[in-house]
Amino acid sequence: MTRPNVQPPGTMRLADSGRRLQIIVLVIAFLLSLFAGRLLQLQGVNASAYAAQAEEERRRIVTLPASRGDITDVDGVALATTVEARDVTADPSLVTDPAATAAALARLLGGKAAALEAKLRSDGRYVLLARQVSPERARAVLALDVDPDQEGQQLPGIFAIRAHKRVYPSGDLAGSIVGFVGRDGHGLAGMELAAEDRLAGRDGRATYETALGRRLPSGATDAEQPVPGADVRLTIDRDVQWMAQRTIATKVTEVAAESGTVVVMEVDTGRLLALATAPAVDPRRPGDSPAADRGNRSLSEVYEPGSTGKAITAAAVIEEGAAGPRTKFTVPPQLYRGGNEFNDHSPHGTLKMTLAGVLAQSSNLGTILATERLGKRRDEVLHHYLQAFGVGQPTGLDFPGASTGLLPALADWSATTSYTLPFGQGYSVNTVQMASAYAILAAGGVRVQPSVVAGWVAPDGSYTPAPAPQRRRVVSESTADQVSRMLEMVVGEGGTAPNAAIPGYRVAGKTGTANRVDPQTGGYRGYTASFIGYAPADDPAYVVAVTLQDPTRGYYGGQLAGPVFKEVLSFVLASERVPPTGTRPPAMRLEW
Amino acid sequence: MSTAPLQEPTRRPPAVATPERPRLAVVRPQPGSLDRPVRPGRAPFVLLVVGLLAAGLFVLLMLNTTLAENSFVVHDLQRNTAELADREQALQQEVALAGAPHVLAERARGLGMVANTNPVFLDLRDRRVLGVPQQAVAPPPPKRKPRRGSSDELLRQLARTGGAVQFAPDEVRKARQGDR
């Protein structure tokens, strides 16, 4: 086209409409394809991931805490249980009048108003004001009204959060067995720790959908119910435990002893009815007790038993046929053995005693002489029987902090070991081990493994008894009976503990006044006074073992531990309804 | 697209004269006949839809109201239950404490009772006494200050408790001394 390019000024050249349309279509197509691609990506490729993410945004997961099982005594009375409680918290930024709020809270929650006010004035948006308040009190706190002019205006910024609280309805009763829990509600000591797995149960979860903070009624809900913990039923009898605990605590104070323990054991079953210690921990305030008092001394504290160990020696000698209750001994004022001089607790001339007399009078020298009748096998025999009676062996109780004590291996024996072991020095035991050793004699020579757990109550209420205790014969029935007869002499006229006798009952027992190893220096300092026995002697039902560590007003086992033994055993016989057998102990010569 | 026609349309051959035919016209069916039903007015349909919508809204409103109402009831009942459960829990704890051995022992002592230290049984079949009965000895009086119990106070206590009087240890002792 060769038209002269004359264009009037001010007129634009019209664009090529076809071309423009093409470009627009291309741009739109490009944009649309982008959208389509994104759509494909959202709905096709990543669809499930995004759907899940969206659901995640709507979903709220709440932990449903499993309720902790109770710890009950043998009758099912709760010694430890869990109740609902509230933690009172505050958001200081919402508190309008810290002074008045603190004053009002202090009246209900206890504590100092100034301390609460300081918390309420602190920065941040969360302070804990009081832990584990009862729900009723928490309700009262929330209903508090600081400013009476503003009707319906309650304490702003104060909240009560649902919590659980472990309570011990019987107070410090059996605290040293039950143990206690930490702030997180998990066991730290005693049965609370030993049975943690079964007590705790398993937390559940509830999942539901929310929108704008509200729960969607039609949304999917999915709840995994918590599995509550099982209840532990102990073999402990609340009344017996209380009696034992009170008696030993009184005695420990009276004789200014460092500590004391009482163990009550059922002969036929090995069940422990009481494991009392003094000083005892209060599970409600474990922090108030020094660390040494927070466990159970009857299992954790080991000591040299002293004369109570002579019953084991007597059983060994009789079982091996080396001597009998009537075997005659001439006991000199002192004996020289292994390069050492051995004496009795009080000086005496040459005495003519039977084995029964040696036990009744608790003669160290007589015991040494008796073991010498064993001949060359003496050391092996002693070691074997001490071990068989449970010295240095685990008791079979699964309890935190339990100690097995120590029985030196034969190879480690020094020249004197073989002469101190017969009268109970040179090896160490805990009170439960000693009670168990006497239970062997009481049960006719059979060892029944001691137990503290009677069974488990599942959340559905079904009861599963603990497995039957292991039984093992240690000495013959005849040997056990002969030792029993001799032990009856101890509480008789010529014995060392006439004040352990219970009128009307045949009581067998043995005193112990042992040199005590000072835990600090490792040398001997102070005494361990003890008494272990059982009744009725001809049909034993219960063993009671009493130990007093480092008494400072008097130290003889018969005088200090004997009366505690008598009081506790009398109570056990009465409350467990064990009548006297009505027989008389056979006469037995103590001297010749 | 504006592509110009490449060639002129071919001219049609000249029309051939055709014989005259009668003109045809579409016959409209008579109203009411099968082919043409009477069409109702639009108004009823609109009313129906509006009515349905209104009814739906109303039902929805009622549903919401009921739900809200019920949730209030549920909330109240839940609070009630929680309160009762808390109360039950508190009472159970009180009962447990009241039944604890040390509390019972303290109350028994407060009533002037003395623990039997020597177990004795009575066999009802042959009326035999098993064991050796011994007189229970009262422990020394507690160190805490005994309450002063005048007769007036006791009478007031009687009236208040309907007959149950808790004797302070010194009253019991006084009464015992009077017996001798």
Side-chain angles (χ1 to χ4, degrees), chain B residues 7-169:
Chain B
Q7 61 183 78
E8 287 284 302
T10 46
R11 278 189 184 274
R12 285 186 194 156
V16 184
T18 46
E20 192 83 5
R21 270 199 273 176
R23 290 182 74 87
L24 295 176
V26 177
V27 179
R28 291 190 170 273
Q30 286 294 309
S33 76
L34 275 175
D35 293 335
R36 193 186 171 196
V38 181
R39 205 173 270 176
R42 262 193 204 149
F45 178 69
V46 170
L47 275 178
L48 177 71
V49 170
V50 168
L52 277 176
L53 275 176
L57 270 177
F58 183 72
V59 170
L60 213 60
L61 188 72
M62 289 308 293
L63 207 65
N64 258 330
T65 315
T66 326
L67 272 177
E69 232 173 51
N70 284 346
S71 82
F72 278 121
V73 174
V74 166
H75 179 258
D76 282 355
L77 288 176
Q78 273 174 346
R79 202 178 53 185
N80 209 355
T81 313
E83 269 180 24
L84 288 174
D86 293 345
R87 186 95 196 99
E88 187 196 5
Q89 182 182 298
L91 288 172
Q92 268 174 349
Q93 279 177 269
E94 269 177 48
V95 170
L97 183 67
H102 65 278
V103 177
L104 288 179
E106 188 55 45
R107 286 197 59 189
R109 238 196 324 279
L111 291 168
M113 295 172 83
V114 174
N116 174 24
T117 50
N118 202 51
V120 173
F121 295 83
L122 182 64
D123 193 334
L124 288 178
R125 285 166 301 185
D126 48 9
R127 305 190 172 194
R128 215 153 40 98
V129 175
L130 303 170
V132 179
Q134 289 196 328
Q135 195 180 352
V137 185
K143 285 188 183 116
R144 68 191 161 87
K145 274 214 158 149
R147 274 181 293 154
R148 309 300 303 166
S150 67
S151 55
D152 281 359
E153 210 178 293
L154 283 178
L155 279 176
R156 251 182 281 128
Q157 204 179 339
L158 267 174
R160 198 167 59 240
T161 59
V165 177
Q166 195 174 353
F167 287 96

Side-chain angles (χ1 to χ4, degrees), chain A residues 242-451:
Chain A
W242 168 76
M243 179 67 187
Q245 208 166 313
R246 199 195 59 160
T247 314
I248 193 68
T250 312
K251 188 55 87 178
V252 164
T253 317
E254 187 189 315
V255 302
E258 185 189 297
S259 63
T261 57
V262 174
V263 170
V264 180
M265 188 170 167
E266 195 173 36
V267 171
D268 290 340
T269 59
R271 290 180 163 201
L272 295 161
L273 266 66
L275 285 175
T277 66
V281 62
D282 186 340
R284 295 166 299 183
R285 287 178 293 277
D288 292 358
S289 299
D293 291 341
R294 290 182 205 157
N296 194 304
R297 287 179 183 275
S298 59
L299 283 159
S300 62
E301 188 171 68
V302 294
Y303 54 91
E304 302 195 6
S307 306
T308 48
K310 286 174 187 161
I312 300 174
T313 313
V317 171
I318 293 175
E319 179 78 359
E320 292 296 314
R326 288 179 194 79
T327 308
K328 296 166 181 173
F329 294 96
T330 308
V331 184
Q334 60 271 125
L335 271 179
Y336 296 91
R337 291 288 186 278
N340 271 58
E341 183 189 309
F342 289 90
N343 290 298
D344 275 329
H345 50 80
S346 50
H348 57 74
T350 301
L351 298 174
K352 294 187 166 189
M353 299 169 119
T354 61
L355 184 60
V358 165
L359 221 53
Q361 287 294 321
S362 198
S363 165
N364 295 342
L365 308 184
T367 318
I368 294 176
L369 293 175
T371 57
E372 287 183 338
R373 292 176 71 99
L374 289 166
K376 284 182 190 159
R377 292 167 43 246
R378 188 166 174 274
D379 288 2
E380 290 104 280
V381 169
L382 278 177
H383 188 267
H384 166 79
Y385 280 98
L386 284 170
Q387 202 165 41
F389 272 85
V391 176
Q393 304 295 309
T395 53
L397 285 183
D398 177 25
F399 203 86
S403 168
T404 55
L406 182 72
L407 175 63
L410 265 173
D412 299 339
W413 286 22
S414 70
T416 50
T417 308
S418 128
Y419 298 101
T420 60
L421 290 188
F423 56 88
Q425 302 273 183
Y427 63 88
S428 62
V429 289
N430 62 41
T431 312
V432 170
Q433 280 175 321
M434 275 323 271
S436 167
Y438 273 68
I440 295 171
L441 299 172
V446 177
R447 181 181 194 271
V448 185
Q449 182 177 305
S451 59

Side-chain angles (χ1 to χ4, degrees), chain A residues 145-223:
Chain A
D145 220 337
V146 171
D147 191 353
D149 295 342
Q150 286 179 289
E151 204 178 330
Q153 177 72 43
Q154 283 141 355
L155 291 188
I158 305 293
F159 307 97
I161 295 171
R162 188 178 283 260
H164 287 291
K165 186 184 182 185
R166 194 70 167 161
V167 293
Y168 301 92
S170 304
D172 67 348
L173 183 73
S176 50
I177 308 153
V178 170
F180 48 87
V181 296
R183 290 205 153 185
D184 58 354
H186 294 297
L188 288 184
M191 285 312 295
E192 294 271 32
L193 176 59
E196 170 68 25
D197 288 350
R198 297 174 86 164
L199 281 170
R202 204 176 64 240
D203 286 352
R205 292 190 320 165
T207 313
Y208 53 84
E209 289 183 50
T210 56
L212 299 172
R214 285 163 193 270
R215 188 170 168 166
L216 295 176
S218 57
T221 45
D222 170 29

Side-chain angles (χ1 to χ4, degrees), chain A residues 52-72:
Chain A
Q53 199 178 333
E55 205 186 314
E56 201 59 46
E57 299 244 317
R58 290 197 304 272
R59 195 160 59 197
R60 292 284 173 278
I61 299 175
V62 178
T63 305
L64 306 174
S67 64
R68 192 175 173 83
D70 293 351
I71 298 176
T72 70

